Amino acid sequence: MPLTLQTLTDKLYQIRHVWALISFSLGLSSYFLVERQPWLAAVLTGLLVFSWLLLLTEGIWQNKVIGTRFDGLPQGMLKLLLQAVHQEAFFFSLPFVLLQWSGGAEYIFFTTLVVSAAAISIIDPVYFWLARHRALYFGFHALALFVALLVLLPLIFHWSTDSALAWAGWLTALFALPSFWRFGGPRKWFRWLGLILVSCLIALSPRWLAPLVPPLTLSLQERAVALSFNRAERKPLVSGEVFSADEVAGGLYAYTAIKAPLGLGQEVYHYWFRDGEQVDRIPLKVSGGRESGFRTWSHKRHIPVPSEGRWRVEVRTGDNQIIGVMRFTITP
């Protein structure tokens, strides 16, 4: 049996370069299938949690198999399996992240972080160097879990992106806390208190940094600024990017079609800005499930005078996560 396990591990290691392509394909296919097959999201969540438990209990179960027929199971097998899980998690989440690129420059750091992590997961020398450093490796796994939960919680439980952000932070901290216990041996009470405070910091930081984290399951399918609106058909009329002051005397419509997962209901806001100064904030309700996006609009009846300048309408969540931006100009 040990010889068979060793042979299997050697074979898997030989085709490790194919794993990246397979994981990318699985991640991309999961992105397209997950809304039609919600159980796929639950499977991926269970896989991530199970792999985290394997990583946490690695020392325990390796000691248990010493002297048994599984004694020949190399430690590298676990790393290969975890690498596949990391690749699946990041490449599954990556399309959701890239769809939010238009949200604004605020997302550059988060997008770069996820793209870099996805690249690290398929570059063997970098990934296995990371795996040799336990603290970094646990952090890498925690990042994979956090990013995946931002997508999976709204898909599985139909939570709003605001709730998903909060719960992703707390769940990541909950799973990260036991991993901290494994470093440094016995500690005095104040060091344990420090570890708990660090975990709380991990849990709360997503809410503090919410404007830098995109709402991954919401995307702006259509957008327009218009002078008039057909309410029966929910279509903007006479839309454009440049309007005269006389044209907007009767007000303006900001139209958005926001795509959200089936069953998700969430409040979003249209923030109106003129020359960088906020002039209005209008709440709207979004329901998920429409392939073309849930069509909604805000009507700003009173345009400040003078109205000339550069305008924009930002579509945001309750946590100030930007879903998209519409820009237009009003001329004299």
Side-chain angles (χ1 to χ4, degrees):
M1 179 63 71
L3 180 61
T4 304
L5 289 171
Q6 182 64 56
T7 303
L8 176 61
T9 304
D10 292 341
K11 293 294 184 183
L12 290 174
Y13 187 77
Q14 290 173 6
I15 63 170
R16 67 191 186 283
H17 300 296
V18 182
W19 285 37
L21 179 61
I22 295 174
S23 297
F24 175 78
S25 302
L26 287 174
L28 199 60
S29 61
S30 299
Y31 167 72
F32 289 109
L33 292 174
V34 73
E35 286 190 5
R36 296 177 176 83
Q37 303 291 337
W39 60 269
L40 286 174
V43 169
L44 182 55
T45 304
L47 189 61
L48 282 167
V49 174
F50 177 71
S51 63
W52 183 267
L53 294 176
L54 275 180
L55 192 59
L56 287 178
T57 60
E58 179 184 354
I60 298 175
W61 60 260
Q62 281 190 347
N63 290 332
K64 292 291 185 182
V65 300
I66 293 177
T68 69
R69 61 177 182 171
F70 297 103
D71 196 6
L73 182 65
Q75 188 177 7
M77 173 76 83
L78 175 63
K79 295 299 185 290
L80 287 174
L81 294 175
L82 287 175
Q83 184 183 23
V85 172
H86 292 153
Q87 290 170 352
E88 170 67 14
F90 284 119
F91 284 116
F92 165 72
S93 306
L94 195 56
F96 291 93
V97 175
L98 295 179
L99 274 176
Q100 291 294 342
W101 183 253
S102 63
E106 295 87 350
Y107 299 151
I108 289 178
F109 175 76
F110 184 85
T111 303
T112 303
L113 186 64
V114 176
V115 171
S116 300
I120 288 173
S121 71
I122 62 174
I123 302 175
D124 286 350
V126 180
Y127 180 84
F128 288 107
W129 173 87
L130 189 73
R132 291 195 298 269
H133 298 76
R134 301 290 293 176
L136 293 177
Y137 197 53
F138 275 112
F140 188 79
H141 197 91
L143 176 63
L145 183 66
F146 174 72
V147 174
L149 286 175
L150 289 179
V151 179
L152 295 170
L153 291 178
L155 292 177
I156 298 173
F157 301 108
H158 303 153
W159 291 349
S160 68
T161 56
D162 303 337
S163 298
L165 181 63
W167 276 100
W170 280 106
L171 289 173
T172 301
L174 180 64
F175 283 105
L177 184 58
S179 66
F180 293 152
W181 295 348
R182 303 188 57 175
F183 303 112
R187 295 180 173 87
K188 296 182 179 180
W189 68 268
F190 58 85
R191 298 192 66 185
W192 287 114
L193 179 60
L195 290 178
I196 295 174
L197 292 176
V198 169
S199 296
C200 291
L201 180 64
I202 293 174
L204 295 173
S205 58
R207 296 305 297 267
W208 296 335
L209 302 175
L212 304 180
V213 180
L216 297 184
T217 51
L218 301 178
S219 59
L220 204 56
Q221 300 294 99
E222 298 179 49
R223 69 192 80 184
V225 178
L227 294 173
S228 57
F229 197 85
N230 186 326
R231 293 176 179 266
E233 298 184 7
R234 294 193 171 193
K235 288 185 177 180
L237 305 173
V238 196
S239 60
E241 296 181 359
V242 179
F243 306 94
S244 69
D246 291 337
E247 287 178 317
V248 302
L252 277 173
Y253 290 86
Y255 163 80
T256 53
I258 302 173
K259 186 176 181 181
L262 179 65
L264 185 145
Q266 176 161 341
E267 193 168 49
V268 299
Y269 300 86
H270 281 183
Y271 284 78
W272 292 72
F273 293 88
R274 173 181 175 270
D275 291 334
E277 181 180 351
Q278 181 182 331
V279 295
D280 209 346
R281 173 179 176 270
I282 302 174
L284 303 164
K285 188 72 175 180
V286 170
S287 298
R290 289 179 57 90
E291 187 66 27
S292 58
F294 185 85
R295 293 174 290 179
T296 187
W297 67 91
S298 62
H299 182 197
K300 184 159 182 57
R301 295 179 174 86
H302 305 291
I303 304 295
V305 179
S307 59
E308 297 85 353
R310 296 183 180 274
W311 288 72
R312 75 178 188 274
V313 179
E314 294 183 356
V315 189
R316 300 184 186 178
T317 68
D319 276 342
N320 280 325
Q321 297 170 290
I322 298 177
I323 305 171
V325 182
M326 295 170 283
R327 292 181 171 85
F328 61 97
T329 303
I330 297 179
T331 61

